[in-house]
Amino acid sequence: MATVVAILASAMVLTSSRDAFAVSTVRYIYNGGNISAISGDGCSLKPVHLTTAKGAVRRDYACSKKSTKPSTAKTGTIVLRNGDVASVVSGDGCKLKVKRLTTIAPRYRRDVQCVLKGTPPPPVQQPPPANPPTEQPPTAVTGGAMWRNVFSDEFSGTAVDGTKWNVPNNSNFGSGNDEDQCYRSANVTESGGTLKFTARRQSVTGCSGNPNGGSTYYFTSGMVTTRAQDAPLRKKYRQGYLEVQMRVPRGNIYWPALWLADPLDGTSPGWPAYGEIDASEIYGARPDVTESNFWRANGDIGAGDHNVNNPPSSANGVSINPPNAYVSGGTTNWHRYGLNWTSTKLQWFVDGVVVRTFNASTNADLAALGYEKSIILNLALGGTGPQDHGYTGRESGGTYSNGNLAADLPGVMEIDYVRLYQP
């Protein structure tokens, strides 16, 4: 039995379809958004009217009369096959406009943009913003003094620099958090000036057992690290200012992170005594929020919802990656996520602004801040983090029974640069 999939502001609702072959998709779009419906098998996309709603707030498309020729459209927000129906609905009062964004024939691709009157839509893909002119930490960190760049990667090549990063392959690192991905080196690429982690719905074996039993993983993704993980140690450091410019995908399965862990070279105690520092965790169901944490022997300081537009408050507020309401598809905006680590405190930054500060108050705090650490960047899928934010999916074979999965796959996390400074 097929299902009718309705992607709402925060969840998916599944109901039975009378047509055993048709899949109906309802996708909400917000001011400045863009949705592309494409033919996946050569069927022809045709505008239809499934309700009495006006075209300014709803557009319906059916894909039928499958051609013997394959579709020329390769990428899009919604992929339709023969018999499928898609509806694009305004979620915030923006007006739907049909506009061709490519030279692909309309029978294979339909593009819909949504804008409030007088508000132009943003570009479909943002390039990375210009780097800070001084390429120095914020003056709140340095006091105006010049700091040394002791480690960096601008990702301007065509392959990951193996002298700086280890790229785990067929790794189930993260299974302790019940995550659903197998990390594979094929999902990590460097091109166009950015490092890219691509999350895919893909069945693979060779990653040991998944959190729910069995030897097959049904999602793959990517990770890089400087620690001695599946390869020799590349970089460890003690204290300094770390900054990463990145953007991450929207979708309730996603769990991208920038964090510091023990270097795995025997110089520090086990977790959590060595002091894990989570510089940024952005759950795809709450792309407007960056979370931070510090784990040490006497517990953790708590992640919470640290909204970057209300420093130094930890209360929810204006979104950094609008709209506030969850919507799947695409990526968040580019932002600079920074961590200032000293012998006595931690400061978290977004776009050069302090959003949280932690001051050590116990011997366990001071000890954890004294151990060397390595850098990890990864795009996790599922697990306890997304489940805390409403995702109910679990590893499952067959038809990929992913609970309330509301995300576009593949999804990409991009890193423009990684820079580490010390006095």
Side-chain angles (χ1 to χ4, degrees), residues 323-411:
N324 280 332
Y326 166 69
V327 57
S328 67
T331 57
T332 65
N333 301 329
W334 285 100
H335 290 287
R336 292 180 286 123
Y337 301 92
L339 173 72
N340 184 35
W341 164 24
T342 77
S343 62
T344 60
K345 71 179 179 181
L346 294 169
Q347 291 177 302
W348 289 266
F349 288 75
V350 175
D351 295 331
V353 177
V354 177
V355 297
R356 190 183 191 188
T357 299
F358 169 77
N359 292 298
S361 60
T362 68
N363 289 335
D365 294 343
L366 295 170
L369 291 175
Y371 292 113
E372 292 178 305
K373 309 185 200 307
S374 290
I375 304 167
I376 299 179
L377 282 157
N378 65 285
L379 176 57
L381 301 175
T384 55
Q387 288 161 17
D388 288 343
H389 290 71
Y391 175 62
T392 61
R394 297 291 191 278
E395 279 285 86
S396 178
T399 57
Y400 296 107
S401 177
N402 300 313
N404 68 336
L405 174 63
D408 294 321
L409 290 161

Side-chain angles (χ1 to χ4, degrees), residues 173-198:
F173 184 87
S175 60
N177 292 325
D178 293 333
E179 295 168 20
D180 290 341
Q181 81 287 326
C182 170
Y183 288 116
R184 306 187 77 210
S185 59
N187 295 58
V188 182
T189 57
E190 184 175 324
S191 65
T194 65
L195 178 69
K196 301 172 179 67
F197 302 146
T198 302

Side-chain angles (χ1 to χ4, degrees), residues 155-171:
F155 304 111
S156 57
T158 58
V160 179
D161 187 342
T163 67
K164 296 179 179 180
W165 305 100
N166 293 327
V167 185
N169 188 42
N170 289 332
S171 169

Side-chain angles (χ1 to χ4, degrees), residues 217-238:
Y217 274 82
Y218 303 102
F219 297 92
T220 62
S221 192
M223 164 191 283
V224 297
T225 176
T226 65
R227 70 202 304 231
Q229 182 177 324
D230 302 323
L233 177 69
R234 303 303 177 188
K235 178 66 179 179
K236 64 177 181 178
Y237 76 102
R238 180 184 292 106

Side-chain angles (χ1 to χ4, degrees), residues 260-278:
L260 302 181
D262 61 315
L264 291 180
D265 64 349
T267 59
S268 59
W271 186 92
Y274 71 75
E276 175 189 320
I277 306 173
D278 300 323

